[in-house]
């Protein structure tokens, strides 16, 4: 397993090393992130994909964005494990910001998790949930796939899908669910239970809620 996490000092270090790239500080975290990140949607085990990720990381890009439904977390984990094993001219774990998401569940995930379907809203191509039991299961699987002990930023992925799922959430109920999800994530970190420090920061992704 890859130990460690992104740190303010580590991300500043890579920003100083690659002066030709632009970096910004993520509010409330102190983490310096390259303005150009690596999006891992549809990344697979083919050599060209792996080389693209390796090239990006060795060129100073220090943000990798993925999600369970992208089916790229294992590929990223394999590439990172290989890179971090090297000592020369390779990024370090404390320089890299790993971003993943939770919220959407494929039918396969739902079947393998053994979670009751009552926790989910059915969508046209899968399921959506913000329930703490699902969030825990989703994060646990992402940690294993990425082969890391820490996800630096977790996004609640497209919670507005709950407005159009079979449960037809109201905006008020959805906002309550989002608040409860954040409370769960904060509590897990604060109490240092189950997956201590497994999420450093959390945001909402693609939200259209007002």
């Amino acid at each position: 397993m890859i130990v460690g996490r992104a740190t303010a000092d580590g991300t500043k270090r890579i920003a100083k090393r690659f002066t030709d790239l632009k970096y910004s500080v993520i509010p409330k975290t102190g983490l310096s992130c390259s303005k150009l990140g690596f999006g891992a949607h549809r990344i697979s085990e083919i050599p060209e994909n792996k080389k693209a990720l390796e090239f990006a990381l060795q060129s100073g890009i220090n943000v990798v964005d993925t999600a369970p439904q992208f089916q790229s977390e294992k590929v990223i984990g394999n590439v990172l494990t290989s890179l971090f094993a090297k000592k020369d001219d390779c990024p370090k774990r404390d320089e890299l910001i790993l971003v993943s998401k939770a919220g959407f569940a494929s039918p396969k995930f739902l079947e393998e998790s053994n979670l009751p379907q009552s926790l989910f809203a059915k969508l046209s191509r899968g399921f959506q949930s913000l329930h703490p039991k699902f969030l825990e299961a989703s994060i646990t699987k992402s940690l294993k796939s990425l082969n890391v002990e820490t996800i630096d930023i977790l996004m609640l992925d497209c919670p507005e899908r709950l407005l159009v799922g079979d449960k037809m959430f109201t905006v008020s109920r959805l906002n309550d669910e989002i608040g409860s999800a954040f409370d769960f994530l904060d509590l897990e970190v604060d109490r240092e239970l189950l997956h201590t420090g497994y999420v450093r920061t959390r945001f909402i992704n693609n939200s259209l809620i007002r």
Side-chain angles (χ1 to χ4, degrees), residues 38-59 64 71-83 86:
F38 188 92
H41 186 218
R42 297 184 179 179
I43 294 298
S44 68
E45 289 283 356
I46 64 174
E48 290 81 1
N49 288 173
K50 291 183 177 181
K51 289 179 181 179
L53 177 55
E54 291 175 358
F55 179 80
L57 296 175
Q58 292 177 317
S59 300
V64 178
Q71 300 181 350
S72 59
E73 289 181 327
K74 287 187 178 180
V75 180
I76 293 170
N78 291 337
V79 170
L80 294 182
T81 300
S82 176
L83 278 180
K86 302 176 183 178

